[in-house]
Amino acid sequence: MRKPYIAANWKMHKTIEETEEFINAFLPMVRDITDVDILVAPPFTSLAAASRLLKSSNVILGAQNVYYEEKGAYTGEVSPGMLLSAGCSCVIIGHSERRQYFSETDEIVNKKIKTAMNNNLEVILCIGESLDEREENRTFEILDTQLAGSLRDLSLEGITIAYEPVWAIGTGKTATKEQANEAHTYIREWLRKNKDGADSVRIQYGGSVKPDNIESLMSEPEVDGALVGGASLKPDSFAGIVTGAIKK
Ligand code: PGA
């Protein structure tokens, strides 16, 4: 069985002080949880401080983005080596907000995953269709394109997939558990057809996950966890999601 995996994507929220406050409150709430892998992804500026507080805890530290070059004249970018030295072991790549506002293509996402993997960073790869694409019945076609482009020439070692329908992100409109499971099943089949080791890849659902809908989502066989934005910003809310993710 795949171990449930719950990740917090804080996006552009929290200063260093707010990060420390969150972690100090959150760690005691989840200290005894061993049945769920837990990750927090603060903004870059908070990573080093978070890493100090998370040391020898059961919470993994991740970043929200990375550049695909190892070093050089790329003003404002952050390399995989910098993430490692800040204490990260994982990075979120290809979030729909990166694709939408920062023009990240599948080709860029693919290059970023390659560089992350070369540096032994684990990856949460985000994919998902927009509302228009769903209404035009193009969900599977979009997933196909994103998976093929993002995972070109790559193995599945160290990869988690986050299925995040864009219309459900930050809107309060969660996909139904059936919709999530249907998309996850499609992704699983795609991975089986095209790569080795598909059955051990965890597929998280993302999009308006909250303490009161996580249990129902996790009751679906292909939902292995969640990538959580808004509801991960408060310690008790995120702890509620982690607890609710323990498979019954
Ligand atoms: P949300 O964001 O939980 O606020 O909908 C999810 C995400 O963007 O990863």
Side-chain angles (χ1 to χ4, degrees):
M1 204 177 88
R2 294 177 292 267
K3 187 174 179 183
Y5 185 8
I6 301 293
N9 171 16
W10 286 353
K11 311 190 180 185
M12 201 171 71
H13 295 288
K14 295 196 190 294
T15 60
I16 295 173
E17 294 75 17
E18 288 163 347
T19 298
E20 290 171 337
E21 205 179 309
F22 177 103
I23 293 173
N24 285 328
F26 178 67
L27 281 184
M29 297 176 183
V30 296
R31 184 168 288 146
D32 298 327
I33 296 181
T34 52
D35 295 341
V36 179
D37 283 339
I38 310 166
L39 174 139
V40 289
F44 290 137
T45 45
S46 288
L47 290 175
S51 167
R52 281 188 283 277
L53 293 175
L54 294 177
K55 217 158 252 154
S56 58
S57 79
N58 54 343
V59 177
I60 309 161
L61 184 64
Q64 299 172 21
N65 186 24
V66 68
Y67 196 50
Y68 53 73
E69 295 290 348
E70 304 278 351
K71 61 169 72 161
Y74 303 104
T75 302
E77 292 297 328
V78 172
S79 73
M82 292 170 189
L83 295 186
L84 287 170
S85 94
C88 293
S89 54
C90 181
V91 58
I92 298 169
I93 295 181
H95 191 279
S96 65
E97 287 150 17
R98 303 279 335 153
R99 295 175 186 263
Q100 195 179 340
Y101 305 132
F102 303 96
S103 310
E104 274 190 20
T105 60
D106 289 324
E107 197 185 343
I108 294 173
V109 168
N110 180 253
K111 282 160 87 167
K112 289 186 171 192
I113 300 176
K114 278 186 185 146
T115 315
M117 281 181 157
N118 288 339
N119 285 273
N120 294 320
L121 280 165
E122 302 214 334
V123 170
I124 296 178
L125 162 63
C126 304
I127 57 173
E129 81 288 358
S130 67
L131 185 58
D132 284 352
E133 290 160 348
R134 174 161 284 264
E135 285 174 348
E136 290 160 11
N137 283 322
R138 293 175 57 218
T139 299
F140 294 156
E141 174 199 328
I142 298 299
L143 295 179
D144 262 349
T145 307
Q146 291 179 335
L147 286 164
S150 307
L151 294 174
R152 180 165 297 129
D153 301 327
L154 287 170
S155 77
L156 296 176
E157 190 77 42
I159 294 261
T160 295
I161 310 270
Y163 167 65
E164 300 204 302
V166 179
W167 47 272
I169 296 178
T171 58
K173 240 175 126 180
T174 323
T176 63
K177 63 190 174 83
E178 291 81 12
Q179 283 172 326
N181 200 59
E182 183 190 38
H184 287 214
T185 304
Y186 187 83
I187 293 166
R188 179 85 55 207
E189 282 308 317
W190 189 96
L191 296 175
R192 281 192 187 127
K193 252 185 259 156
N194 293 282
K195 305 277 174 189
D196 292 331
D199 287 300
S200 48
V201 172
R202 288 177 291 187
I203 306 177
Q204 298 171 325
Y205 166 78
S208 301
V209 173
K210 299 184 192 70
D212 64 8
N213 59 25
I214 184 70
E215 260 184 62
S216 142
L217 287 160
M218 291 299 292
S219 70
E220 292 293 327
E222 286 294 345
V223 178
D224 304 317
L227 180 57
V228 189
S232 74
L233 292 170
K234 295 224 164 70
D236 51 348
S237 159
F238 190 50
I241 293 173
V242 170
T243 313
I246 299 171
K247 285 260 187 188
K248 301 272 165 352

